[in-house]
Amino acid sequence: MFHAFPRQARPIPERIYLDHAATSPLRPEAQAAMEKGIGLWANPSSPHAEGRRAKAALEDARDRVKQALAWDGELIFTSGASEALWIALNRAKARRRIVSAVEHDAVFRAAPDAEVLPIENGEVVLDADLGAAVVAIQQVNPETGAMFHEMGEVLARVTNAGGVLLVDCSQGAGKIELPDCDMAVVSAHKFGGPIGIGALLVRDFALLEPVGGHERGYRAGTENLPAALSMAAALETGGFDGWRSTREQRSGFMDQLAGEMLVTGQVHSDHIFAITHQSLSAQAQLIRLDAMGLAVSAGSACSSGTLKKSRVLDAFGIDDDTASRTIRVSMGWNTTAAELDAFANAWKSLT
């Protein structure tokens, strides 16, 4: 008889959410800021008093986000990371586009004809001609937590070649400092802000070709003021110091499952982990863990009912069998040490 979970493991009293790399719950402070922003209903581009009031709030949110992220360049509010990536890859004043093999699907949708840089020993191979190109390299890989840590060196190489460095910081912003780069992408719902807003951080607007419309002429569509205020509140409430203060509990989790963690880079984040079971498929693990009250995701993508190997794991050189048994555990602003212990115990009980 099939059991939804092993006989020796019992469902936990309350559900535990460990899929923050997909999205994090909205912080209470961010929700309060959004509710307040709904009262500022006017279009920030309107010239009347109501519009000017909304515009002032929008610019205040812009300054607060920049300050919280320690970014001294420009900031374009977008509908999320996907739009920010599209603007950067398609409006940058560069003739070519180059991306790493493990970038998010949004990068490949925005630049389907881009040259792809391979991965060796967990690092991007930068042996291509980087001249006159916008080069996209992520800060933290969303499937494995691998980090490309020598961004200062990468920036120097790209700059010296006459290129522009774009870093997707969707999984790192609000948790670790932004890297040295020409452009960076952030997504609010990854750090406790609302879904539907992100930003493209630009060192200098001269790097981009404007298209007209809102946000200094770099995007179409009226700005989402309530979401911008919520995004600012989420960053201010959390901050780098708050994330550092809970690092010890994540380190303890890493120690418990060190032997099962999939290492795909020379440096890894402390909030996204790929874990490989010795016998169970990722799909079986997800079903059993969900029945036990634990929400995680797979390191492989499920398409049309058939589990297919992740493009990212393949680029990292992970064999098919290992990839098929790998799941992802990701932590967020409200993850507790007790929740991590509960997951570790439940996962170890799987047979």
Side-chain angles (χ1 to χ4, degrees), residues 116-183:
V116 179
L117 299 174
I119 305 295
E120 289 185 5
N121 299 319
E123 292 291 334
V124 181
V125 180
L126 291 170
D127 58 0
D129 175 14
L130 306 177
V134 54
V135 182
I137 298 178
Q138 63 196 191
Q139 182 184 32
V140 179
N141 184 265
E143 288 195 34
T144 71
M147 295 178 62
F148 303 127
H149 59 294
E150 299 296 343
M151 283 299 179
E153 181 179 324
V154 173
L155 176 62
R157 292 188 60 178
V158 173
T159 301
N160 291 337
V164 175
L165 178 61
L166 164 66
V167 181
D168 181 359
C169 300
S170 298
Q171 298 294 349
K175 304 176 182 70
I176 56 180
E177 287 81 358
L178 299 181
D180 293 331
C181 58
D182 296 306
M183 295 187 287

Side-chain angles (χ1 to χ4, degrees), residues 2-6 280 284-292 350-351:
F2 172 77
H3 295 276
F5 46 86
L280 283 181
Q285 292 176 66
L286 295 187
I287 292 172
R288 296 188 182 190
L289 290 169
D290 188 48
M292 295 163 66
L350 296 178
T351 58

Side-chain angles (χ1 to χ4, degrees), residues 40 42-46 48-62 214-216 223 225:
L40 299 171
N43 190 319
S45 297
S46 298
H48 45 61
E50 290 82 357
R52 294 195 302 273
R53 182 183 175 210
K55 181 69 170 180
L58 179 68
E59 294 310 311
D60 180 63
R62 193 188 312 276
H214 299 278
E215 288 297 283
R216 277 76 166 170
E223 295 93 344
L225 176 56

Side-chain angles (χ1 to χ4, degrees), residues 23-213:
T23 194
S24 270
L26 192 64
R27 285 181 177 270
E29 299 84 356
Q31 180 172 338
M34 176 172 277
E35 292 171 352
K36 183 178 179 180
I38 291 173
L40 299 171
W41 46 265
N43 190 319
S45 297
S46 298
H48 45 61
E50 290 82 357
R52 294 195 302 273
R53 182 183 175 210
K55 181 69 170 180
L58 179 68
E59 294 310 311
D60 180 63
R62 193 188 312 276
D63 291 340
R64 289 163 57 198
V65 171
K66 287 168 56 177
Q67 182 174 355
L69 293 173
W71 181 261
D72 59 3
E74 307 291 349
L75 184 150
I76 301 168
F77 282 120
T78 66
S79 62
S82 293
E83 184 191 5
L85 287 165
W86 191 95
I87 294 173
L89 287 164
N90 288 280
R91 305 310 304 177
K93 295 178 181 178
R95 296 194 306 271
R96 303 163 55 230
R97 295 178 292 185
I98 301 174
V99 305
S100 88
V102 294
E103 297 302 306
H104 191 276
D105 285 346
V107 170
F108 289 93
R109 287 193 293 267
D113 59 344
E115 180 180 346
V116 179
L117 299 174
I119 305 295
E120 289 185 5
N121 299 319
E123 292 291 334
V124 181
V125 180
L126 291 170
D127 58 0
D129 175 14
L130 306 177
V134 54
V135 182
I137 298 178
Q138 63 196 191
Q139 182 184 32
V140 179
N141 184 265
E143 288 195 34
T144 71
M147 295 178 62
F148 303 127
H149 59 294
E150 299 296 343
M151 283 299 179
E153 181 179 324
V154 173
L155 176 62
R157 292 188 60 178
V158 173
T159 301
N160 291 337
V164 175
L165 178 61
L166 164 66
V167 181
D168 181 359
C169 300
S170 298
Q171 298 294 349
K175 304 176 182 70
I176 56 180
E177 287 81 358
L178 299 181
D180 293 331
C181 58
D182 296 306
M183 295 187 287
V185 167
V186 301
S187 179
H189 71 103
K190 306 296 187 181
F191 50 73
I195 291 175
I197 190 164
L200 173 61
L201 310 178
V202 187
R203 177 172 52 78
D204 191 327
F205 277 144
L207 296 172
L208 296 174
E209 190 71 41
V211 295

